Amino acid sequence: DAGVIQSPRHEVTEMGQEVTLRCKPISGHNSLFWYRQTMMRGLELLIYFNNNVPIDDSGMPEDRFSAKMPNASFSTLKIQPSEPRDSAVYFCASSLGTGTDTQYFGPGTRLTVL
Amino acid sequence: AQSVTQLDSQVPVFEEAPVELRCNYSSSVSVYLFWYVQYPNQGLQLLLKYLSGSTLVKGINGFEAEFNKSQTSFHLRKPSVHISDTAEYFCAVHDDYKLSFGAGTTVTVRA
């Protein structure tokens, strides 16, 4: 199994540009999570999907952020327009279920907004 | 909401010495606890988890943790560390459907 796949691994963009981060969860996993990691705020849950349906997006910072999961094998996190304070490492994780099943993390996307 | 507090932000340790990383949780109900490790420039990887049963939990890479209900703690230990254990370690608590992570402890192993 290839694990959780994220792309791109690194993204450098200018303020105001649209950024799209991509995630392919582990096959058969029903839950998908997007996290953001920064020095100041640590690991924050942005949004959680179960069976492709967004269940909790209370962690999404503001309307500039949106996430979709059109099918069980693909999810995107979009930032439009991007701002320097969005610079962070964004992780996608998936798990079999919603209980205490282990979350498997992707390698992350390091986003730098200039 | 449930939460965890990691008491040490940085822990330097010499190779082959023991290490303990401290984690306290805040919950008066059933609690499920996890330790994850993040190696440089990588995603998080599960080390071990406590769901129920024996309070001593053994994980990968020689790590173990002890669940202590009276102290509301879940400290992580390794009797002898290697250079390759240099990483950031996160304690987490299961909170409904999600994990709430601590701030992390950076372990630096020196020769």
Side-chain angles (χ1 to χ4, degrees), chain B residues 27-44:
Chain B
S27 174
S28 59
V29 297
S30 296
V31 63
Y32 308 111
L33 295 158
F34 303 75
W35 275 100
Y36 278 81
V37 61
Q38 183 179 26
Y39 298 107
N41 301 312
Q42 295 186 28
L44 279 72

Side-chain angles (χ1 to χ4, degrees), chain B residues 30-107:
Chain B
S30 296
V31 63
Y32 308 111
L33 295 158
F34 303 75
W35 275 100
Y36 278 81
V37 61
Q38 183 179 26
Y39 298 107
N41 301 312
Q42 295 186 28
L44 279 72
Q45 177 183 1
L46 180 71
L47 274 177
L48 49 81
K49 61 183 175 182
Y50 171 77
L51 303 182
S52 65
S54 172
T55 57
L56 183 62
V57 182
K58 293 192 181 296
I60 62 171
N61 301 339
F63 284 92
E64 62 181 32
E66 184 154 20
F67 173 70
N68 189 319
K69 189 173 182 179
S70 63
Q71 309 255 339
T72 61
S73 68
F74 189 55
H75 300 336
L76 181 71
R77 301 185 183 96
K78 185 170 182 177
S80 176
V81 296
H82 301 130
I83 297 288
S84 58
D85 292 321
T86 294
E88 189 159 18
Y89 293 79
F90 294 92
C91 182
V93 62
H94 184 258
D95 186 7
D96 196 3
Y97 51 82
K98 62 186 180 183
L99 291 176
S100 293
F101 288 90
T105 298
T106 299
V107 173

